[in-house]
Amino acid sequence: MSSTPQIRPQHVNKGAVSRRTVLKAGATLLLSVLAPVRAYAAQILAVRVWPAEDYTRVTLENDAALKATHFIVKDPERMVVDIEGLELNPTLKSLVAKIQSNDPYIKQVRVGQNRPNVVRLVFDLKEEIKPQVFTLAPAGNYKHRLIFDLYPVKAADPIAAMIEKGDWSGDGKTPPSSAAAAGSTPKGDMPPLKPSEAQAAAQAPQTPQAQLEALKPDTKADPRAELKNELKTAEAQARAAEKTDKNGKLVRMLTVVLDPGHGGEDPGASGKNGSREKDIVLSIAKRLKARIEEFPNMRVMLTRDGDYFVPLGTRVEKARKVQADLFVSIHADAFVQPTARGSSVFVLSEKGASSTAARWLADKENLADTIGGVNVKTQDRQLASVLLDLSTTAQINDSLRLGKSVLGEIGGINRLHKGSVEQAGFAVLKAPDIPSILIETAFISNPEEEAKLLDDGYQNQLADAIVKGIRRYFAKNPPLAKNRLT
């Protein structure tokens, strides 16, 4: 007689425990999946405010990308910004104290936790503004940035602004009749200058060692005898032109646009002692402006007159709006080796850089928009097309003449990195109708030259040298008449 196998009690208990354990673990896993996960709150690392007549920029730097929405409220004028994925912290609260009373557009800002994970900023405004709100991916030493650019609804006319500020020679009200700056010089022009013969060689691939050698300064660089003779002739013509001014012939104003590089979010290069390129070149530009305006019939516009960022294309656009006769961009170079030294002058190239060093420098300077931060959605496509496609051979030849004259003068106060004007694709030099040069005043990365750049005496010498170069250029190349004799 068969019997059913007996199941021992301990076996039953073990199976029951095992099943309960599995069920409990499954329930825990299910609950953990269904439970809401708290969103990660981004951390504000820094807040910065850059007030200027052109526009005021507010920057929030953070460790992750932020999403923001904004709207305008009337009577009184306010801009409200809601930032998602953010918790209020002391750094963000410090924004309140960073708004100064002299800010052209912001009266004050209020910061608060609007609701969980959403911070609200309320900008109380001094006038109606046209805001741009956008984000920037990490670049240079910056992490993610959320940018608020507050522009006036009606931008000021740059020529009217120059007149209002008194940026005129003479009495500051009407164009003087003196023609000392431009003069009625004898006719005759310098032949077109050919690009450096090194241009073709620079296009060939080079080893890292060869590139390093090319970037070393030319210790024998010095203005050539040919250049010195041409400058003597130009100086004599300038003196003769000043004498003819007594005839009282009315000529138009000469407009020189000075472009201090970098600014605001973009500090440019830095020196061992903490100096910043953007501060040094602004100081030099202001000294240069004062010296140019000592001469009758000349006026100057700065692309920036304070510590704020101006996109490369906007710098060129400003020069074209005032129908500039010259565009001079001022910089202070840097290199990985502190031994690099010397001053340089660059002009645009249509066919490529005249040396490896020129190409390397142009690539570095053209990163300004990436570092400084440009709202790419608002860039004028027509302007971009002009800057990219309409640079002319005539403009480049005129720029070479100007660069040659200025380089010869700078060579009298500082060693030259190269003995001739170099060429490369600098975006800031691409005005198709304005002779344009970029001056690298010295290497800020060289401790000896950094000390020079910080010295008031050297800055004054440099400004004097550039003025002499500009005046000699005008003496040999009288500007053509323009449509508007402002």
Side-chain angles (χ1 to χ4, degrees):
M1 181 175 178
S2 63
S3 61
T4 304
Q6 296 291 323
I7 299 177
R8 296 181 180 181
Q10 59 265 34
H11 289 169
V12 174
N13 290 342
K14 283 185 178 182
V17 170
S18 177
R19 285 192 297 274
R20 282 197 300 270
T21 302
V22 172
L23 290 173
K24 185 177 180 180
T28 302
L29 178 61
L30 180 62
L31 289 173
S32 66
V33 171
L34 296 177
V37 178
R38 181 175 178 141
Y40 168 75
Q43 292 297 311
I44 297 294
L45 305 176
V47 294
R48 296 180 289 274
V49 181
W50 309 101
E53 291 296 331
D54 291 23
Y55 71 108
T56 289
R57 167 169 288 191
V58 178
T59 301
L60 306 184
E61 186 178 357
N62 33 277
D63 62 354
L66 295 176
K67 181 180 178 182
T69 57
H70 70 282
F71 55 92
I72 298 295
V73 180
K74 298 289 185 181
D75 300 323
E77 292 286 334
R78 286 157 289 164
M79 183 176 79
V80 180
V81 180
D82 286 339
I83 309 173
E84 299 179 17
L86 196 61
E87 297 291 336
L88 199 57
N89 70 356
T91 303
L92 188 53
K93 289 180 181 178
S94 70
L95 177 62
V96 175
K98 291 183 181 292
I99 304 299
Q100 302 298 314
S101 60
N102 62 349
D103 190 298
Y105 305 109
I106 304 176
K107 185 184 301 182
Q108 66 177 4
V109 63
R110 291 170 281 151
V111 182
Q113 192 77 45
N114 182 255
R115 55 188 185 274
N117 240 28
V118 176
V119 167
R120 170 165 288 187
L121 310 181
V122 179
F123 294 92
D124 294 317
L125 305 171
K126 294 181 178 179
E127 64 177 72
E128 187 180 4
I129 56 98
K130 182 172 56 177
Q132 292 183 13
V133 179
F134 57 98
T135 58
L136 295 171
N141 295 324
Y142 295 123
K143 295 188 181 298
H144 294 272
R145 284 174 288 174
L146 177 60
I147 303 290
F148 309 105
D149 284 348
L150 280 58
Y151 288 89
V153 170
K154 185 178 180 181
D157 177 81
I159 292 182
M162 290 173 70
I163 297 173
E164 184 179 349
K165 290 181 179 180
D167 289 348
W168 289 80
S169 307
D171 61 8
K173 297 179 182 178
T174 57
S177 60
S178 170
S184 53
T185 61
K187 291 185 179 180
D189 204 357
M190 295 170 63
L193 301 178
K194 296 180 179 180
S196 168
E197 292 180 357
Q199 207 172 58
Q203 308 308 311
Q206 294 181 316
T207 64
Q209 182 61 32
Q211 292 180 13
L212 185 61
E213 289 297 321
L215 290 170
K216 289 183 179 180
D218 183 356
T219 56
K220 297 180 181 179
D222 185 54
R224 294 168 292 180
E226 171 194 354
L227 174 60
K228 292 180 179 178
N229 291 333
E230 290 174 353
L231 293 178
K232 287 180 181 178
T233 302
E235 187 175 19
Q237 291 175 335
R239 287 196 297 267
E242 289 180 0
K243 293 178 182 178
T244 60
D245 174 58
K246 295 179 181 179
N247 296 329
K249 181 180 178 182
L250 178 65
V251 294
R252 67 179 179 82
M253 295 292 293
L254 294 177
T255 302
V256 178
V257 171
L258 301 179
D259 174 48
H262 309 282
E265 288 288 291
D266 177 20
S270 58
K272 183 179 180 182
N273 295 319
S275 61
R276 300 180 300 185
E277 180 181 4
K278 67 174 183 177
D279 301 324
I280 289 173
V281 298
L282 179 60
S283 176
I284 293 172
K286 287 183 175 179
R287 294 174 193 269
L288 180 54
K289 178 179 185 293
R291 279 159 174 74
I292 292 175
E293 290 177 339
E294 289 176 359
F295 298 98
N297 212 40
M298 296 188 78
R299 64 184 177 187
V300 175
M301 185 188 79
L302 298 175
T303 58
R304 68 176 181 96
D305 57 6
D307 187 12
Y308 57 97
F309 177 69
V310 181
L312 298 175
T314 302
R315 296 169 189 261
V316 179
E317 186 180 16
K318 284 187 170 189
R320 301 192 79 209
K321 281 184 176 179
V322 299
Q323 299 185 21
D325 296 288
L326 295 182
F327 180 90
V328 180
S329 192
I330 304 171
H331 293 257
D333 204 356
F335 188 53
V336 292
Q337 292 182 339
T339 52
R341 62 181 300 169
S343 303
S344 305
V345 175
F346 297 84
V347 303
L348 186 65
S349 171
E350 285 184 306
K351 300 179 180 179
S354 57
S355 70
T356 302
R359 183 169 60 247
W360 174 82
L361 181 62
D363 290 342
K364 183 168 69 71
E365 296 294 0
N366 289 345
L367 287 174
D369 279 356
T370 302
I371 304 297
V374 174
N375 186 4
V376 294
K377 293 181 180 179
T378 64
Q379 292 304 290
D380 189 331
R381 292 184 180 180
Q382 183 177 359
L383 173 63
S385 175
V386 167
L387 298 184
L388 289 174
D389 301 330
L390 296 185
S391 296
T392 65
T393 301
Q395 183 261 27
I396 292 175
N397 284 338
D398 283 339
S399 300
L400 282 164
R401 296 184 185 104
L402 171 63
K404 192 174 184 181
S405 182
V406 171
L407 185 70
E409 290 296 338
I410 293 177
I413 65 166
N414 192 35
R415 175 185 294 181
L416 297 181
H417 190 70
K418 297 290 181 182
S420 59
V421 178
E422 294 206 78
Q423 294 182 258
F426 292 90
V428 79
L429 300 181
K430 291 187 176 182
D433 48 359
I434 305 172
S436 304
I437 63 172
L438 185 145
I439 302 172
E440 291 289 354
T441 53
F443 277 85
I444 195 174
S445 54
N446 181 304
E448 181 182 338
E449 293 204 333
E450 179 190 15
K452 278 186 175 183
L453 289 169
L454 291 170
D455 180 69
D456 289 344
Y458 178 77
Q459 289 192 11
N460 288 332
Q461 285 183 316
L462 192 61
D464 288 336
I466 297 171
V467 170
K468 288 180 181 178
I470 290 174
R471 280 172 52 75
R472 289 179 178 177
Y473 167 79
F474 275 135
K476 291 206 67 173
N477 304 272
L480 300 175
K482 296 265 181 122
N483 294 329
R484 183 165 54 178
L485 305 181
T486 51

